Short mmCIF file of all heavy atoms in Angstrom, two decimals:
data_model
loop_
_atom_site.label_atom_id
_atom_site.label_comp_id
_atom_site.label_asym_id
_atom_site.label_seq_id
_atom_site.Cartn_x
_atom_site.Cartn_y
_atom_site.Cartn_z
N ILE F 128 17.66 24.13 9.71
CA ILE F 128 16.23 23.81 9.53
C ILE F 128 15.53 24.04 10.84
O ILE F 128 14.49 24.70 10.91
CB ILE F 128 15.97 22.43 9.03
CG1 ILE F 128 16.66 22.22 7.65
CG2 ILE F 128 14.53 22.04 8.96
CD1 ILE F 128 16.71 20.77 7.20
N ILE F 129 16.06 23.50 11.89
CA ILE F 129 15.46 23.58 13.24
C ILE F 129 15.47 25.04 13.74
O ILE F 129 14.47 25.47 14.36
CB ILE F 129 16.13 22.64 14.23
CG1 ILE F 129 16.01 21.15 13.73
CG2 ILE F 129 15.43 22.73 15.64
CD1 ILE F 129 14.71 20.62 13.40
N THR F 130 16.53 25.72 13.55
CA THR F 130 16.62 27.08 13.90
C THR F 130 15.52 27.96 13.19
O THR F 130 14.91 28.82 13.87
CB THR F 130 17.97 27.74 13.63
OG1 THR F 130 19.00 26.93 14.31
CG2 THR F 130 18.11 29.17 14.02
N ASN F 131 15.25 27.67 11.98
CA ASN F 131 14.17 28.37 11.27
C ASN F 131 12.78 28.03 11.89
O ASN F 131 11.93 28.89 11.99
CB ASN F 131 14.17 27.99 9.81
CG ASN F 131 15.31 28.57 9.07
OD1 ASN F 131 15.89 29.59 9.46
ND2 ASN F 131 15.68 28.00 7.90
N ILE F 132 12.64 26.79 12.35
CA ILE F 132 11.33 26.41 12.97
C ILE F 132 11.24 27.20 14.23
O ILE F 132 10.18 27.79 14.55
CB ILE F 132 11.27 24.89 13.24
CG1 ILE F 132 11.22 24.09 11.95
CG2 ILE F 132 10.13 24.55 14.15
CD1 ILE F 132 11.46 22.59 12.13
N LEU F 133 12.30 27.19 15.02
CA LEU F 133 12.28 27.95 16.34
C LEU F 133 12.00 29.43 16.12
O LEU F 133 11.31 30.03 16.91
CB LEU F 133 13.56 27.68 17.09
CG LEU F 133 13.75 26.29 17.63
CD1 LEU F 133 15.17 26.09 18.10
CD2 LEU F 133 12.74 26.01 18.74
N SER F 134 12.55 29.99 15.11
CA SER F 134 12.28 31.43 14.82
C SER F 134 10.84 31.68 14.49
O SER F 134 10.22 32.68 14.84
CB SER F 134 13.24 32.00 13.79
OG SER F 134 12.92 31.45 12.54
N GLU F 135 10.22 30.71 13.80
CA GLU F 135 8.78 30.78 13.48
C GLU F 135 8.00 30.69 14.78
O GLU F 135 6.90 31.36 14.91
CB GLU F 135 8.35 29.63 12.57
CG GLU F 135 8.84 29.73 11.17
CD GLU F 135 8.07 30.66 10.32
OE1 GLU F 135 6.87 30.98 10.66
OE2 GLU F 135 8.61 31.20 9.32
N LEU F 136 8.42 29.95 15.73
CA LEU F 136 7.68 29.77 16.96
C LEU F 136 7.80 30.94 17.92
O LEU F 136 6.96 31.01 18.82
CB LEU F 136 8.20 28.46 17.67
CG LEU F 136 7.94 27.16 16.96
CD1 LEU F 136 8.43 25.99 17.80
CD2 LEU F 136 6.49 26.97 16.62
N GLU F 137 8.78 31.81 17.72
CA GLU F 137 8.93 32.94 18.56
C GLU F 137 7.60 33.73 18.61
O GLU F 137 7.22 34.32 19.64
CB GLU F 137 10.05 33.87 18.12
CG GLU F 137 11.43 33.33 18.60
CD GLU F 137 12.49 34.28 18.20
OE1 GLU F 137 12.26 35.45 17.84
OE2 GLU F 137 13.62 33.86 18.35
N THR F 138 6.96 33.84 17.50
CA THR F 138 5.70 34.67 17.43
C THR F 138 4.60 34.00 18.28
O THR F 138 3.80 34.69 18.96
CB THR F 138 5.16 34.81 16.05
OG1 THR F 138 4.96 33.54 15.47
CG2 THR F 138 6.15 35.60 15.18
N VAL F 139 4.63 32.72 18.39
CA VAL F 139 3.65 32.03 19.24
C VAL F 139 3.94 32.22 20.76
O VAL F 139 3.12 32.52 21.54
CB VAL F 139 3.56 30.50 18.93
CG1 VAL F 139 2.68 29.77 19.90
CG2 VAL F 139 3.14 30.31 17.50
N SER F 140 5.28 32.14 21.08
CA SER F 140 5.73 32.26 22.45
C SER F 140 5.38 33.65 22.99
O SER F 140 5.06 33.84 24.16
CB SER F 140 7.19 32.01 22.58
OG SER F 140 7.44 30.66 22.16
N TRP F 141 5.54 34.66 22.14
CA TRP F 141 5.35 36.01 22.58
C TRP F 141 3.95 36.49 22.43
O TRP F 141 3.56 37.48 23.01
CB TRP F 141 6.27 36.99 21.76
CG TRP F 141 7.69 36.75 22.10
CD1 TRP F 141 8.65 36.11 21.30
CD2 TRP F 141 8.42 37.06 23.29
NE1 TRP F 141 9.84 36.03 21.94
CE2 TRP F 141 9.72 36.62 23.11
CE3 TRP F 141 8.02 37.68 24.47
CZ2 TRP F 141 10.63 36.83 24.12
CZ3 TRP F 141 8.97 37.82 25.50
CH2 TRP F 141 10.25 37.34 25.27
N ASN F 142 3.10 35.77 21.65
CA ASN F 142 1.73 36.21 21.45
C ASN F 142 0.84 35.03 21.68
O ASN F 142 0.48 34.31 20.73
CB ASN F 142 1.55 36.75 20.04
CG ASN F 142 0.18 37.35 19.82
OD1 ASN F 142 -0.67 37.29 20.70
ND2 ASN F 142 -0.07 37.84 18.62
#
Side-chain angles (χ1 to χ4, degrees):
I128 298 168
I129 302 304
T130 302
N131 289 337
I132 294 170
L133 290 169
S134 67
E135 290 281 336
L136 296 181
E137 279 184 14
T138 58
V139 175
S140 298
W141 293 105
N142 186 0

